Amino acid sequence: MREHNQLKGWSSDENDWNEKLYPVWKRGDPRWKNSWKGGRVQAVLTSDSPALVGSTMTFVVSLVFPRCQKEDANGNIVYETNCRNDTGPSPDPFVYNWTAWTEDDDWGNDSSQGHHNVFPDGKPFPRPPGWKKRNFVYVFHTLGQYFQRLGRCSARVSINTTNVPLGPQLMEVTVYRRHGRAYCPIAKVKDVYVVTDRIPIFVTMSQKNDRNSSDETFLRDLPIVFNVLIHDPSHFLIESSINYKWNFGDNTGLFVSNNSTLNHTYVLNGTFSLNLTVQAAVPGPCPTPSPRPLTPTPALLPGGDNPLQLRDVPDENCRINRYGYFKATIEIVDGILEVNIIKMTDVLMPVPQPDDSVVDFVVTCEGTIPTEVCTVISDPTCRITQSTVCDPVDVDVGELCLLTVRRAFSGSGTYCMNLTLGDEASLALTSTLVSVPGRDPASPLRIANGVLFSVGCLTIVVTVIALLVYKKHKDYRPIENSTGIVVKGKRLNVFLNRAKAVFSRGNQEKDPLLKNHPGTL
């Protein structure tokens, strides 16, 4: 172990190890199979790596017991209630009743401290409140040094990384359990951790209407939100001044900010290279002072015997700049920028449907033409979904985005409707509350039927009158002298056509995107 790698509070692995009290088993030793009652214990080692050099890194070891076993409030290992394993229920509720062992075996007496209440190197256990409930010994090992800890089913250790070499390092942990007046190894685990001189950063990119933010493809003319996350679990940089320097690769220049979040809008399509540099001033080692010329003193006059005096050494509390870097290549494409519902209209259906009400929604959008439309109809709180319907919009259309979406609602009441228009790269959303009134016995459908019947009777009467007039006046009359009759005929035809349209919706235009009139989906 080199001196500059010394970890505070850790000991050299050259110290003596009491193998009689803490036996050492290699991997593959058959004794591992019987080290725990009811199966094998697994140890899981995690850390908050990577860590910026000088910060604190924390390691956590958690024990995973065999099925149906757990640690109780007293630190004993017991069987879970109503849990069945391969061996069936056990008459003894305890796997290991260490509380009874310590009471019967003078475990906590001071006279026994020098025998088995010690770590592998002979150091005595610390005795904070509740220490008797800690029945596991954890030995952490890295960089030729070890650290011992008494714990329960998990243990935590933190190290300062000032003296840890840069790059990947290995942490190994051996776990022992109490076994009479000795200890038995039950698990070993190891994991790689990393110490770096670069600030660990992560950048998230999000955008309204972007269909998939993970593919790094975004939409033109909509702002992208860039959020920088600095991995600093020990708050090493909490008092540092941090600057963010952005270059978005679109010839808009360099943006410098002290805010971790920034919005940027690309106005052109294409591929762009994004570069970010994060700068922070952190505590660090002071540079070695350069040799300074000696400063003579009055005592250096002839006959004086005082030694030459050097100037004071600078303060050891220095700060250095650390940097973090992020690069990404993003693609900018066209997409659906906005969607709006501009009109809602009740629809009269030819066949009575007492339970359903049909509504047409006229929808407009900005940007590219959508390829699909989806609606989600929910309760008024928009939480409980009642129906989801999606329709393709697969037609050859012009530049105008205008379509009619027809949806059925089950009964009267208030509904929340989310409507989305999508294409390959974008997904635009709008929401509205729809109020569906209850149907009156004299429903619009019945009124329309009555109108059509009246129109039919009126047609017969007009036809009879016209026949009588024709028989009485057989002489030819120019059409220009019959203007009033023609006009009335036109009005009657218009009236009949409108009434007929109520019963012939199926013959309407099916194009969902029309340049001058919205189609229906």
Side-chain angles (χ1 to χ4, degrees):
M1 180 186 64
R2 297 182 180 180
E3 183 178 354
H4 68 274
N5 291 337
Q6 176 66 42
L7 301 177
K8 184 178 180 180
W10 289 56
S11 304
S12 170
D13 57 6
E14 295 179 356
N15 293 345
D16 293 335
W17 182 287
N18 188 343
E19 292 193 20
K20 184 177 181 180
L21 195 61
Y22 290 88
V24 178
W25 297 347
K26 296 182 179 181
R27 296 186 182 276
D29 193 307
R31 289 176 291 181
W32 283 106
K33 297 180 180 180
N34 300 318
S35 63
W36 189 268
K37 187 186 302 183
R40 288 291 304 273
V41 174
Q42 300 294 327
V44 179
L45 174 61
T46 60
S47 71
D48 47 24
S49 170
L52 182 63
V53 61
S55 67
T56 299
M57 182 184 297
T58 300
F59 299 86
V60 177
V61 181
S62 301
L63 299 181
V64 181
F65 301 114
R67 176 176 168 78
C68 298
Q69 299 182 14
K70 67 176 183 178
E71 185 182 48
D72 68 6
N74 295 317
N76 299 311
I77 308 301
V78 298
Y79 290 102
E80 296 184 18
T81 306
N82 300 326
C83 180
R84 300 183 62 87
N85 55 18
D86 296 337
T87 61
S90 173
D92 186 357
F94 290 95
V95 182
Y96 294 102
N97 189 354
W98 285 307
T99 301
W101 292 1
T102 57
E103 291 176 352
D104 298 339
D105 198 27
D106 69 356
W107 184 271
N109 294 339
D110 291 338
S111 60
S112 63
Q113 180 170 337
H115 298 287
H116 46 256
N117 286 337
V118 295
F119 287 113
D121 62 357
K123 293 181 181 179
F125 288 162
R127 297 194 172 193
W131 73 276
K132 293 183 181 180
K133 300 178 180 179
R134 303 175 185 181
N135 298 298
F136 298 98
V137 175
Y138 298 82
V139 182
F140 295 79
H141 184 271
T142 188
L143 300 175
Q145 303 163 72
Y146 67 89
F147 185 87
Q148 307 162 123
R149 170 141 293 178
L150 190 65
R152 297 186 58 170
C153 62
S154 66
R156 178 187 301 262
V157 168
S158 297
I159 63 173
N160 184 279
T161 59
T162 299
N163 294 329
V164 177
L166 299 180
Q169 308 295 338
L170 184 65
M171 175 68 74
E172 295 181 279
V173 183
T174 304
V175 187
Y176 290 82
R177 67 166 175 87
R178 289 184 177 182
H179 181 66
R181 288 180 172 270
Y183 297 86
C184 174
I186 59 172
K188 295 185 72 173
V189 65
K190 57 184 177 181
D191 193 23
V192 174
Y193 64 96
V194 177
V195 177
T196 176
D197 58 353
R198 291 189 174 186
I199 302 174
I201 62 174
F202 307 89
V203 178
T204 63
M205 298 176 283
S206 60
Q207 184 186 48
K208 176 185 175 183
N209 297 355
D210 180 35
R211 187 152 199 159
N212 182 9
S213 60
S214 62
D215 62 359
E216 298 186 347
T217 298
F218 298 94
L219 310 179
R220 178 171 60 91
D221 294 332
L222 282 181
I224 305 174
V225 180
F226 298 90
N227 187 28
V228 184
L229 305 175
I230 296 179
H231 182 69
D232 184 30
S234 66
H235 306 291
F236 180 61
L237 302 176
I238 191 170
E239 296 182 357
S240 299
S241 176
I242 303 177
N243 293 321
Y244 304 85
K245 301 178 182 180
W246 297 88
N247 186 338
F248 295 99
D250 58 351
N251 297 324
T252 54
L254 182 67
F255 294 85
V256 180
S257 172
N258 58 3
N259 195 324
S260 60
T261 302
L262 187 69
N263 296 349
H264 184 74
T265 302
Y266 287 88
V267 297
L268 298 175
N269 292 351
T271 303
F272 301 90
S273 296
L274 170 69
N275 288 275
L276 168 66
T277 301
V278 178
Q279 176 183 337
V282 301
C286 295
T288 303
S290 58
R292 299 178 179 273
L294 298 179
T295 303
T297 65
L300 294 179
L301 297 176
D305 56 358
N306 290 342
L308 297 179
Q309 296 179 353
L310 295 177
R311 300 181 64 180
D312 293 338
V313 178
D315 186 7
E316 292 296 328
N317 186 15
C318 298
R319 302 183 74 84
I320 60 176
N321 287 328
R322 296 293 188 190
Y323 299 91
Y325 304 94
F326 174 80
K327 295 182 179 181
T329 301
I330 60 177
E331 187 80 14
I332 303 299
V333 298
D334 290 324
I336 304 171
L337 305 182
E338 187 176 356
V339 57
N340 292 291
I341 298 174
I342 62 174
K343 186 179 180 181
M344 293 184 288
T345 306
D346 291 335
V347 179
L348 303 179
M349 301 302 294
V351 178
Q353 297 180 1
D355 296 332
D356 290 344
S357 296
V358 180
V359 179
D360 278 351
F361 299 89
V362 180
V363 180
T364 63
C365 66
E366 296 181 12
T368 58
I369 301 300
T371 58
E372 66 176 357
V373 55
C374 292
T375 56
V376 178
I377 299 176
S378 311
D379 70 319
T381 64
C382 301
R383 295 179 179 177
I384 303 176
T385 301
Q386 297 182 0
S387 67
T388 301
V389 179
C390 292
D391 293 311
V393 184
D394 189 13
V395 291
D396 185 12
V397 298
E399 297 180 357
L400 181 62
C401 177
L402 181 66
L403 66 155
T404 298
V405 180
R406 177 170 296 176
R407 291 295 181 259
F409 296 84
S410 56
S412 61
T414 301
Y415 299 86
C416 169
M417 190 183 79
N418 292 327
L419 185 145
T420 56
L421 300 181
D423 62 8
E424 184 178 356
S426 57
L427 194 66
L429 167 69
T430 187
S431 300
T432 186
L433 287 177
V434 182
S435 180
V436 178
R439 286 188 178 275
D440 188 78
S443 64
L445 184 62
R446 296 182 179 181
I447 294 175
N449 288 332
V451 169
L452 184 59
F453 176 78
S454 300
V455 170
C457 294
L458 180 60
T459 303
I460 296 173
V461 173
V462 172
T463 303
V464 172
I465 294 174
L467 182 59
L468 294 176
V469 172
Y470 173 76
K471 289 183 177 181
K472 186 176 182 180
H473 304 280
K474 292 184 178 180
D475 298 337
Y476 171 77
R477 293 187 180 183
I479 194 170
E480 58 268 17
N481 296 330
S482 304
T483 305
I485 298 177
V486 172
V487 171
K488 290 181 181 178
K490 286 186 176 180
R491 291 177 181 173
L492 180 59
N493 289 336
V494 171
F495 182 75
L496 289 173
N497 288 335
R498 289 182 177 175
K500 183 179 178 182
V502 176
F503 306 96
S504 57
R505 293 280 181 175
N507 295 329
Q508 290 184 351
E509 175 62 52
K510 292 297 184 179
D511 191 339
L513 293 173
L514 299 179
K515 296 183 178 180
N516 299 317
H517 180 74
T520 303
L521 289 180

